[in-house]
Amino acid sequence: MTQVKIIGGGLAGCEAAWQLAERNIKVDLYEMRPEKRTPAHQTQGLAELVCSNSFRSDDKLSNAVGILHEELRICGSLIMKAADEHKVPAGSALAVDRNLFSAEVTNCIRNHQNINVIQKEVINIPDDWENIIIATGPLTSEALSEFILKKSSDDSLYFFDAIAPIVYTDSIDMSAAWFQSRYNKVGPSGSLNDYINCPLNEKQYLQFVDELIEADKASFNEWEKDTPYFDSCLPIEVIARSGPQTLRHGPMKPFGLNNPHNDGNEPYAVIQFRQDDISGQLFNMVGFQTKIKYGHQTDIFRKIPGLCDAKFARLGGIHRNTYINSPKLLSSDLSLISDQRIKFAGQITGVEGYVESASTGLLSGLLMYNKLKVREQKPPPKTTAMGSLISYITRKDHVKDFQPMNINFGLFENMDIRDIRKKPKRIRDMEKKIRIAQRAESDLNKWLKSSFA
């Protein structure tokens, strides 16, 4: 007999289903694709990565994202297992072959004896459903969005998310471009050359910025006009409009790179490409989300040195993402205050990023398991990455203008470093991060032992 209904077959929904199924809980997992498609998805697979193939930093001692990676691994995350098995070179980051990653998750979910995948759109929650996790992600269907709106008696919030182009590697002119990781930092693969770099001199860069600003933009629908962008995913043309040097200190920063075609000098600006598939046939333009119309994209990008004959596997795009006002609507156990049958997980809760979404999916599954076993539904402490995220999205401090958030050190419970305050700042900051990471791992293990022993 099915005990939990999960709506959404993305990272959060699959992770929640896996955590419950591994604990012998029967799950129905609803995914509306391919019956109903979204503006951004391209495949029928579960856990499809839409915007990027990067899970960001995998440094578990000095990066908040890396700490979250490690916490997910400790908890037996399916998403991290699939990512680790299908990673591609990306410096110190964890990036994956997105097709193999999705196929791995899809295979694990579909072949689990306790998971029943139902390809059907859920437009409302029937009264006879008892335990539900809504993990429909940032592309929640209009019908279900309307149901949530009525259920919560509160406005849904929206922001735009943009997609970066992908280029066929063999179409990049390597007599102008070169392989190098920033600051020659060795990645998990042991390579110093995980990125392709295309350089621009000052004249080329300023002309590029002007063309971005003048480019014909994609038209918005009437309901989109007042929808804000998420700050960490701004289209490049929006960044360009904020000032002529902004891109050069953002996604086009040249620092730590040396052009071998110009006596090893640092270029004025650079565009980096990160491997997108395991075979290395595809590379994506790092940080180059855009809503410029397709024809104008190719015209502008092919003027970049090294891209004159570039062939694009995918051009940039933009879509509307949806998230709820979680501080007002959710309890600390991710339950909807107005209907305790329902938990939320993933980007719809206001976390931003692949691993952040997976972590809320994992926690929703674990907390639902405790609910079914009539145990306390206590999230991890704020000293952990997962606990700090839950604390952020469910805090009750009358927050105004709630915005999506990535994991960062500012969310963790403060660390006392009075004993190292006299050390040089760089050393002090690094030691503080290491202490936070060690505390997080220790406290997460204590939480797991006390909550699921």
Side-chain angles (χ1 to χ4, degrees):
M1 177 181 174
T2 299
Q3 294 172 270
V4 179
K5 308 278 190 180
I6 299 177
I7 308 170
L11 301 181
C14 288
E15 189 65 72
W18 183 259
Q19 295 299 322
L20 287 162
E22 286 288 277
R23 289 165 173 79
N24 207 31
I25 302 298
K26 297 291 185 181
V27 174
D28 282 343
L29 177 62
Y30 289 83
E31 169 54 51
M32 70 179 184
R33 294 179 298 119
E35 178 184 283
K36 183 172 182 178
R37 302 187 66 84
T38 76
H41 288 89
Q42 297 182 333
T43 75
Q44 298 180 16
L46 300 174
E48 179 182 343
L49 304 182
V50 173
C51 296
S52 167
N53 72 322
S54 176
F55 283 54
R56 306 180 347 261
S57 175
D58 202 35
D59 185 344
K60 69 176 185 178
L61 289 178
S62 62
N63 190 285
V65 180
I67 295 173
L68 185 54
H69 286 185
E70 190 64 17
E71 291 184 6
L72 285 166
R73 291 182 178 112
I74 290 170
C75 292
S77 164
L78 171 63
I79 296 305
M80 288 305 299
K81 174 178 175 290
D84 287 335
E85 289 181 1
H86 299 290
K87 63 184 178 183
V88 298
S92 60
L94 173 62
V96 304
D97 181 310
R98 67 180 78 210
N99 291 325
L100 294 179
F101 168 82
S102 174
E104 175 76 17
V105 176
T106 301
N107 182 63
C108 289
I109 292 294
R110 287 191 174 278
N111 289 316
H112 201 294
Q113 62 180 358
N114 291 325
I115 301 175
N116 176 35
V117 178
I118 302 172
Q119 291 181 296
K120 175 184 177 182
E121 181 185 7
V122 176
I123 60 175
N124 57 54
I125 307 297
D127 291 338
D128 60 350
W129 284 15
E130 295 183 358
N131 300 294
I132 308 107
I133 296 175
I134 296 178
T136 44
L139 298 174
T140 299
S141 69
E142 185 176 349
L144 188 57
S145 293
E146 287 297 319
F147 172 83
I148 295 170
L149 191 64
K150 293 176 182 177
K151 194 72 180 175
S152 63
S153 299
D154 189 45
D155 291 338
S156 291
L157 306 174
Y158 304 98
F159 66 97
F160 286 125
D161 205 1
I163 300 171
I166 295 176
V167 177
Y168 287 100
T169 315
D170 60 8
S171 71
I172 300 175
D173 180 6
M174 297 307 295
S175 68
W178 76 98
F179 282 93
Q180 184 190 359
S181 297
R182 195 178 300 280
Y183 297 109
N184 295 311
K185 190 171 183 179
V186 179
S189 65
S191 172
L192 299 172
N193 302 305
D194 287 347
Y195 291 80
I196 295 176
N197 304 279
C198 290
L200 293 88
N201 60 34
E202 183 175 7
K203 181 179 179 181
Q204 291 167 331
Y205 169 77
L206 294 175
Q207 181 180 349
F208 180 75
V209 170
D210 287 342
E211 291 194 7
L212 288 178
I213 295 172
E214 295 301 321
D216 189 12
K217 311 300 189 301
S219 299
F220 290 129
N221 293 311
E222 186 64 31
W223 50 262
E224 296 174 318
K225 290 182 178 179
D226 297 322
T227 306
Y229 292 108
F230 179 45
D231 287 344
S232 71
C233 203
L234 290 174
I236 52 170
E237 60 274 14
V238 174
I239 300 174
R241 286 203 303 269
S242 66
Q245 294 297 316
T246 309
L247 279 173
R248 188 170 169 267
H249 291 271
M252 295 181 70
K253 59 180 177 288
F255 316 118
L257 297 168
N258 309 101
N259 185 355
H261 307 302
N262 186 24
D263 299 324
N265 293 317
E266 184 178 275
Y268 187 80
V270 71
I271 293 170
Q272 284 199 306
F273 293 78
R274 179 180 56 235
Q275 189 171 329
D276 203 84
D277 66 329
I278 197 69
S279 65
Q281 297 182 74
L282 301 173
F283 271 66
N284 63 69
M285 300 177 73
V286 178
F288 262 64
Q289 303 89 351
T290 179
K291 62 184 178 66
I292 295 173
K293 288 184 177 180
Y294 285 174
H296 287 84
Q297 284 187 47
T298 54
D299 289 344
I300 294 171
F301 293 153
R302 285 185 177 137
K303 293 178 182 178
I304 297 169
L307 299 187
C308 59
D309 295 316
K311 295 180 181 178
F312 293 89
R314 182 187 74 185
L315 288 164
I318 191 166
H319 53 272
R320 188 188 74 177
N321 281 354
T322 307
Y323 64 97
I324 62 173
N325 191 350
S326 291
K328 184 173 183 179
L329 301 181
L330 299 185
S331 303
S332 62
D333 62 7
L334 298 175
S335 296
L336 188 63
I337 293 172
S338 63
D339 190 338
Q340 292 291 306
R341 297 178 304 155
I342 303 172
K343 291 185 186 296
F344 280 82
Q347 281 187 254
I348 196 170
T349 65
V351 297
E352 175 60 22
Y354 292 148
V355 289
E356 289 88 343
S357 296
S359 70
T360 58
L362 184 145
L363 287 177
S364 71
L366 293 180
L367 294 172
M368 180 66 79
Y369 175 78
N370 272 0
K371 176 186 177 182
L372 295 171
K373 297 299 180 180
V374 197
R375 297 173 178 170
E376 183 181 12
Q377 298 180 65
K378 183 179 179 181
K382 195 178 174 182
T383 53
T384 66
M386 288 195 289
S388 67
L389 273 174
I390 296 298
S391 177
Y392 171 78
I393 63 175
T394 63
R395 65 197 194 280
K396 304 304 176 190
D397 55 0
H398 306 290
V399 63
K400 294 182 179 179
D401 300 322
F402 175 60
Q403 291 290 310
M405 181 69 76
N406 294 115
I407 185 63
N408 63 79
F409 281 113
L411 298 183
F412 287 79
E413 186 172 294
N414 195 32
M415 168 68 70
D416 186 355
I417 57 168
R418 283 176 291 183
D419 59 318
I420 58 172
R421 198 171 296 280
K422 293 183 180 181
K423 291 186 177 183
K425 185 178 185 303
R426 184 179 63 83
I427 296 175
R428 184 177 69 242
D429 289 348
M430 180 58 68
E431 187 164 337
K432 179 180 179 180
K433 290 176 181 178
I434 292 172
R435 289 186 181 187
I436 289 173
Q438 292 171 338
R439 180 184 66 179
E441 182 172 342
S442 175
D443 287 358
L444 180 69
N445 281 315
K446 291 176 184 176
W447 173 77
L448 287 170
K449 184 176 181 180
S450 64
S451 300
F452 304 99

